[in-house]
Amino acid sequence: MDNKTIGKIMKVNGPIIKALISEMPKMMELVEVSEYHLIGEVLSIQDEFATIQVYEDTTGIKPGDPIYGTGLPLSVELGPGIIGNVFDGIQRPLEEIAKKSGIYITRGVNVPSLSREKKWIFKPSVSVGQKLEGGAIVGSVQETSLINHKIILEPNTRGTVVKIVPESEVTIEDSVAVIKNDKDEEIQVKLYHRWPVKFPRPILERMKPSIPLLTGQRVVDVFFPIAKGGTAAIPGGFGTGKTITQHQLAKWADAQVVVYIGCGERGNEITEVLEDFPKLIDPRTGKPLMERTVLIANTSNMPVTAREASIYTGITLAEYYRDMGYDVALMADSSSRWAEALRELSGRLEEMPAEEGFPAYLGSKLAAFYERAGYVKTKSGKVGSITAIGAVSPPGGDFSEPVTQNTKRFVRCFWELDKTLASSRHYPSINWMRSYSQYGDECREWWDKNVSKEYKDIRSRSFEILQKEDKLQKIVKLIGPDALPDSERLYLETARIIKLGFLQQGAYDDIDTYSTPEKQLRILKLILKFFEKAAEVIRLGAPIFEIKEMEVITKIIRIKMTVPNDKLQMIDEVEAFMGQEFAALEKVYKE
């Protein structure tokens, strides 16, 4: 970096600094503030003054301290070594910082994001004389046993290959290729390049998301599916299970790469992520989950400016792996804390506040984040996706507050967490009456082709039972269930079975934590068959209390915990037992 002095501090207002500049910086340029060399970014320039936001603690910084220019925007390093790492909001590797400064991040600590010493085996995939466009793949290294890391040409570079190294062991600073551009300039290609975090990486084509991102969570996959390349929000008040829901999605979603952003969350929640994820085993490969995961840890006691940057850092890393042709799941926990950082910075900048003190541009900032998700054809010619799932933490569970309402405008999947369900220990506490997904019809073709053509019918019939039960509950609250005819009380009982046997799922149960699509539909299909058989015997005159006392009900509810995903034939045994019980009832009432 060019550490040339470009000005001096005139005023300090928390993380916002006003500087008198002697040499004009660029907008959004990365600068170093004071002799501590704190990382900052130029927000605005007016006459000879620049406004800078600092991404570290500014305690002790004073007027007169120097400002150093770097000539670069706030960027991340993109290359092998990202997967399995834990970064802070501005891509500083926390483990390496801990070795250098102890358990607390020392101000101004300068550690490269990616290791300069580690050696990688580079395998070329282009040859001399080949013409390359920006985003082309020049070779690969095996980053982990699960991720073959493609070495991508910086998107704004193009030219002819004049040199390519053979398969060899290199560091990320070694040149692996030389490209000659249209101006006859020779450009050294390394294993990494830098990219500004606030600029989306270019793509060739945006396509319609239609393949479901399978999560193994039944209420999500069947009732409120999200497609690969889609956007979703998980809003919920304190204690409703946002974090555990996101952990489950991060653990089990069938994405090849997971980027988890702990954005302004409490330290104990981030600690849980850092302790749990390295121990987790990927169910599909048997390898550690961290071999395909990137963690960005930004706790609530870290500077708010770094919290604001963490979302952009995370989405840029996700775009990089998407450009390699991978499906990436990005978890942002939580966008409310990010919005609070925007609110604090906006107040420090003395901008005109909008509703509840949030900046007037809150909606456009959220839109800019979610629009970087998508199912796309990349410049390398590969197809990849980013699925963005953001948790929202409305104060007091008030979903009318600005962050929830603005998020709702830009996402197509809304999993509303319910405090009543959470209080009754029903997890995931996704409210099936107030949540929605606009990907249901788009994902139907995949379900029809790969699982069962009955998907739409099973899903809609189950919804009907739950909706009917919701209406009947209003009557029950007024006059009690005994006033309802048995045919309608059957709806109450069947909905109870769906809630306990299908919608409720144990994250810590070895079998129940993940359900295959086949198991999910088999459970629902069996419950619907129970409903049909019960309706028949009620028409014959059987009272509802006899149906409620049937032994098979407990067996159906326990399928989720007793039937492993690879032994679905055990569901046939439950179905056969159910047939025997109903046959016995029919025999009594037919006579």
Side-chain angles (χ1 to χ4, degrees):
M1 287 187 180
D2 178 19
N3 291 333
K4 184 193 264 183
T5 304
I6 62 167
K8 63 180 180 179
I9 296 172
M10 298 296 292
K11 178 183 175 184
V12 181
N13 181 9
I16 302 297
I17 282 175
K18 197 163 188 179
L20 178 67
I21 49 179
S22 54
E23 189 170 316
M24 191 63 68
K26 299 171 186 171
M27 279 293 293
M28 301 173 76
E29 181 178 332
L30 194 69
V31 294
E32 294 179 354
V33 176
S34 84
E35 298 300 343
Y36 291 109
H37 293 275
L38 307 184
I39 297 170
E41 181 185 18
V42 176
L43 292 183
S44 65
I45 302 169
Q46 188 172 10
D47 300 327
E48 70 272 25
F49 295 100
T51 302
I52 298 165
Q53 68 173 344
V54 183
Y55 291 108
E56 300 182 67
D57 182 14
T58 56
T59 303
I61 305 303
K62 61 188 186 299
D65 284 354
I67 305 288
Y68 303 100
T70 66
L72 300 169
L74 177 64
S75 308
V76 288
E77 292 183 351
L78 302 173
I82 293 173
I83 294 289
N85 219 325
V86 182
F87 299 107
D88 74 351
I90 47 178
Q91 209 205 5
R92 295 184 299 181
L94 294 179
E95 288 185 37
E96 292 303 313
I97 289 175
K99 291 176 189 173
K100 194 169 182 179
S101 68
I103 59 171
Y104 295 103
I105 300 176
T106 305
R107 290 192 302 167
V109 64
N110 188 8
V111 178
S113 300
L114 303 177
S115 170
R116 270 33 183 185
E117 289 77 38
K118 187 168 182 178
K119 294 201 169 181
W120 305 92
I121 296 174
F122 172 75
K123 295 180 179 179
S125 57
V126 295
S127 51
V128 173
Q130 200 169 330
K131 290 191 174 179
L132 301 178
E133 294 290 329
I137 294 169
V138 298
S140 64
V141 302
Q142 196 67 38
E143 186 171 10
T144 70
S145 61
L146 300 179
I147 300 296
N148 185 25
H149 190 113
K150 314 293 193 303
I151 305 305
I152 296 176
L153 192 62
E154 202 271 341
N156 297 324
T157 302
R158 56 185 296 180
T160 305
V161 180
V162 293
K163 181 186 175 186
I164 183 80
V165 301
E167 182 174 332
S168 55
E169 203 173 54
V170 295
T171 68
I172 65 169
E173 286 289 3
D174 293 331
S175 175
V176 294
V178 178
I179 306 286
K180 185 175 279 189
N181 65 14
D182 298 339
K183 299 175 183 175
D184 269 353
E185 297 169 333
E186 290 195 346
I187 299 162
Q188 303 290 327
V189 178
K190 300 180 180 180
L191 294 190
Y192 80 104
H193 63 269
R194 299 181 68 86
W195 187 262
V197 297
K198 293 185 179 176
F199 294 91
R201 287 173 67 84
I203 57 171
L204 283 183
E205 181 188 352
R206 191 174 285 270
M207 299 181 291
K208 185 178 179 182
S210 59
I211 301 168
L213 180 77
L214 297 173
T215 65
Q217 310 309 299
R218 294 182 291 270
V219 65
V220 171
D221 289 352
V222 175
F223 284 170
F224 309 110
I226 182 169
K228 288 181 178 178
T231 52
I234 311 178
F238 179 77
T240 53
K242 294 182 298 300
T243 301
I244 189 64
T245 303
Q246 281 213 322
H247 287 190
Q248 282 295 94
L249 297 174
K251 290 173 192 175
W252 302 109
D254 69 334
Q256 290 142 314
V257 176
V258 174
V259 179
Y260 188 94
I261 308 169
C263 179
E265 285 302 295
R266 291 176 297 281
N268 61 328
E269 292 186 355
I270 299 292
T271 302
E272 188 181 338
V273 174
L274 297 180
E275 286 184 345
D276 285 358
F277 273 56
K279 298 174 190 170
L280 292 172
I281 300 299
D282 188 332
R284 285 167 293 146
T285 61
K287 301 289 179 70
L289 192 65
M290 283 301 289
E291 292 199 11
R292 60 182 182 91
T293 302
V294 186
L295 297 177
I296 297 175
N298 184 273
T299 56
S300 53
N301 65 334
M302 288 182 175
V304 290
T305 37
R307 185 190 306 177
E308 190 253 351
S310 64
I311 290 279
Y312 297 110
T313 298
I315 195 79
T316 306
L317 297 181
E319 286 177 335
Y320 179 56
Y321 283 94
R322 174 208 65 194
D323 289 352
M324 297 180 200
Y326 289 121
D327 294 316
V328 183
L330 180 135
M331 312 289 165
D333 186 14
S334 91
S335 56
S336 291
R337 307 278 182 263
W338 175 64
E340 285 166 11
L342 288 179
R343 179 166 62 185
E344 179 165 339
L345 293 172
S346 177
R348 300 271 188 185
L349 292 167
E350 300 175 359
E351 295 171 337
M352 184 68 75
E355 190 181 356
E356 294 190 20
F358 287 103
Y361 48 78
L362 173 64
S364 19
K365 287 272 190 181
L366 282 165
F369 166 65
Y370 281 109
E371 76 176 0
R372 289 173 74 169
Y375 185 62
V376 304
K377 188 172 183 181
T378 69
K379 291 194 77 177
S380 64
K382 294 183 175 291
V383 173
S385 70
I386 297 175
T387 309
I389 301 170
V392 186
S393 312
D398 175 17
F399 294 114
S400 64
E401 59 89 40
V403 182
T404 309
Q405 289 304 309
N406 277 291
T407 301
K408 212 169 182 178
R409 291 164 55 196
F410 309 120
V411 298
R412 296 187 59 202
C413 203
F414 195 74
W415 300 320
E416 183 178 316
L417 302 187
D418 188 288
K419 197 155 188 70
T420 307
L421 288 174
S423 300
S424 62
R425 316 304 296 165
H426 179 113
Y427 290 106
S429 58
I430 295 173
N431 185 300
W432 48 87
M433 298 308 299
R434 294 199 295 270
S435 300
Y436 63 83
S437 170
Q438 295 175 357
Y439 297 109
D441 289 339
E442 292 166 15
C443 294
R444 179 190 166 189
E445 186 179 332
W446 183 92
W447 281 89
D448 287 352
K449 185 178 178 182
N450 295 281
V451 185
S452 170
K453 291 188 181 295
E454 296 178 276
Y455 165 71
K456 185 180 179 182
D457 180 55
I458 290 171
R459 180 174 182 251
S460 58
R461 285 168 62 202
S462 303
F463 257 138
E464 284 168 14
I465 291 170
L466 291 169
Q467 286 168 337
K468 176 85 171 176
E469 185 257 359
D470 187 62
K471 290 177 184 175
L472 291 174
Q473 284 292 358
K474 292 168 187 171
I475 299 170
V476 169
K477 283 175 184 174
L478 286 173
I479 57 175
D482 295 340
L484 295 174
D486 284 356
S487 59
E488 293 198 330
R489 289 178 68 183
L490 177 60
Y491 278 96
L492 300 179
E493 180 61 18
T494 309
R496 186 184 74 88
I497 297 170
I498 292 174
K499 290 176 197 175
L500 295 178
F502 186 83
L503 297 174
Q504 192 178 39
Q505 192 162 353
Y508 298 108
D509 184 276
D510 289 344
I511 294 176
D512 196 27
T513 186
Y514 179 88
S515 285
T516 60
E518 293 78 13
K519 181 178 176 181
Q520 295 178 33
L521 284 194
R522 287 289 303 275
I523 293 173
L524 263 190
K525 190 175 178 182
L526 183 61
I527 295 171
L528 292 173
K529 191 166 185 179
F530 168 86
F531 176 75
E532 291 165 5
K533 292 272 190 186
E536 286 174 15
V537 296
I538 282 174
R539 282 194 291 271
L540 291 173
I544 188 69
F545 74 83
E546 286 208 31
I547 290 166
K548 290 172 77 171
E549 289 174 358
M550 290 176 73
E551 197 179 329
V552 75
I553 291 176
T554 304
K555 289 182 179 291
I556 292 172
I557 291 171
R558 290 186 59 80
I559 285 174
K560 62 181 185 179
M561 296 180 290
T562 56
V563 177
N565 291 311
D566 57 351
K567 294 182 179 176
L568 298 187
Q569 67 274 13
M570 292 169 69
I571 296 177
D572 296 332
E573 296 169 15
V574 178
E575 189 172 346
F577 181 80
M578 182 176 76
Q580 292 167 10
E581 275 205 288
F582 274 117
L585 263 181
E586 282 177 10
K587 188 176 179 184
V588 170
Y589 288 97
K590 271 184 179 176
E591 295 170 357

